[in-house]
Amino acid sequence: MDSISSTIIRTFIGFFVLFILIRLLGKKQISQMSFFSYITGLALGNIAGEMVIHKDIKIIDGITGIALWVFLTAAIEFIVFKSSKARGLLDGEPTILIKHGKIIEKALSSNKLNMDDLTMLLRIKNVFAVSEVEYAILEPNGQLSVLKKEEFEPVTKKDSNILVKRRPYIPTELIVDGKIVSKNLTELNINENWLTNELHLKGFQQVEDIFYAELQTDGTIYVDAKIKL
């Protein structure tokens, strides 16, 4: 087997083994990942990369290394899930940076943050004045949770005693690139005949003429037609 063929085979094997095992671990958004999860992802990618590039590493050894790392990670995640003490030790605890409008300087220092870092994190939350903040809590994943002082909170419909109606639907894709998304129709308990009739009312005779169609919260349909060249 020549070098190129060997690399191709190793890449396919490494990719699919890593894909399957990562799926078994579950999924988190990047913003939800703890430092431990982030390092685990880097380590798994590195092991797979080493197996592909270095021909002196046997494929079975690479797969064993990846599988063992995934097993250990899954074991740690299980312990963290079951034990609040382990969760605090591995993922860390939330830290209050601002309490009752007062900046906790010691908390900033212990988290290696300065005022520029704090104001940047606040701006990400659309808060441009520290004076508006009642509480600011640094989460274990590095995100900042902010509770504004009451006088700076936006007015809600409840505050204004506005009658609120329950939304019958959530915005859902019905047609994408001229094809009906049958799975979504089933989940919404609607059929293609109903969809076709609604499209006819909007002047569309063929589903293929529609680039995108979406069910709105009030039960109406938003339609974006294909551009005909």
Side-chain angles (χ1 to χ4, degrees):
M1 182 183 300
D2 58 46
S3 178
I4 295 179
S5 298
S6 175
T7 300
I8 292 174
I9 292 173
R10 284 171 172 267
T11 300
F12 271 96
I13 292 175
F15 177 84
F16 285 108
V17 168
L18 191 60
F19 176 80
I20 293 169
L21 293 178
I22 288 295
R23 290 290 291 174
L24 291 176
L25 278 179
K27 57 184 178 181
K28 290 184 178 180
Q29 295 179 5
I30 296 299
S31 61
Q32 297 173 325
M33 289 175 64
S34 64
F35 184 70
F36 174 75
S37 300
Y38 176 71
I39 294 300
T40 293
L42 290 179
L44 287 172
N46 186 60
I47 294 172
E50 291 289 321
M51 183 185 73
V52 170
I53 295 172
H54 295 289
K55 304 298 188 295
D56 55 325
I57 299 176
K58 295 180 180 179
I59 293 178
I60 187 63
D61 290 339
I63 294 175
T64 300
I66 294 173
L68 182 58
W69 194 285
V70 168
F71 172 77
L72 292 173
T73 301
I76 292 295
E77 293 286 359
F78 179 78
I79 293 172
V80 167
F81 179 73
K82 291 293 184 180
S83 171
S84 58
K85 290 183 178 179
R87 192 156 51 245
L89 179 64
L90 293 172
D91 288 345
E93 297 284 352
T95 304
I96 299 176
L97 301 182
I98 299 177
K99 183 177 182 180
H100 296 310
K102 177 71 173 69
I103 298 171
I104 311 299
E105 297 177 21
K106 185 177 180 181
L108 285 178
S109 178
S110 64
N111 285 278
K112 305 296 186 295
L113 296 173
N114 55 43
M115 278 305 300
D116 289 337
D117 298 323
L118 178 58
T119 53
M120 178 191 70
L121 291 171
L122 287 172
R123 286 195 298 272
I124 292 173
K125 293 293 184 178
N126 292 320
V127 179
F128 289 82
V130 176
S131 59
E132 297 181 5
V133 180
E134 181 74 18
Y135 275 91
I137 301 173
L138 185 66
E139 305 294 353
N141 62 2
Q143 295 284 314
L144 191 70
S145 299
V146 179
L147 177 65
K148 287 186 177 182
K149 294 177 181 177
E150 286 192 22
E151 59 266 34
F152 296 107
E153 287 283 354
V155 177
T156 64
K157 290 184 177 180
K158 183 178 180 180
D159 295 329
S160 303
N161 293 319
I162 298 175
L163 180 64
V164 179
K165 294 182 179 180
R166 182 175 177 271
R167 296 187 179 96
Y169 301 102
I170 62 171
T172 308
E173 294 178 343
L174 300 180
I175 298 173
V176 177
D177 198 15
K179 296 180 181 178
I180 296 175
V181 185
S182 301
K183 176 176 67 69
N184 289 349
L185 293 185
T186 302
E187 291 179 357
L188 293 167
N189 197 28
I190 59 179
N191 56 49
E192 292 190 14
N193 288 333
W194 177 86
L195 177 58
T196 302
N197 290 334
E198 290 294 315
L199 294 175
H200 286 168
L201 292 175
K202 289 184 174 292
F204 294 94
Q205 303 301 319
Q206 300 292 329
V207 172
E208 292 76 12
D209 295 334
I210 299 170
F211 179 71
Y212 183 77
E214 180 182 81
L215 182 69
Q216 304 298 289
T217 56
D218 60 358
T220 60
I221 297 178
Y222 165 79
V223 180
D224 185 75
K226 286 185 177 180
I227 298 175
K228 295 183 179 180
L229 301 176

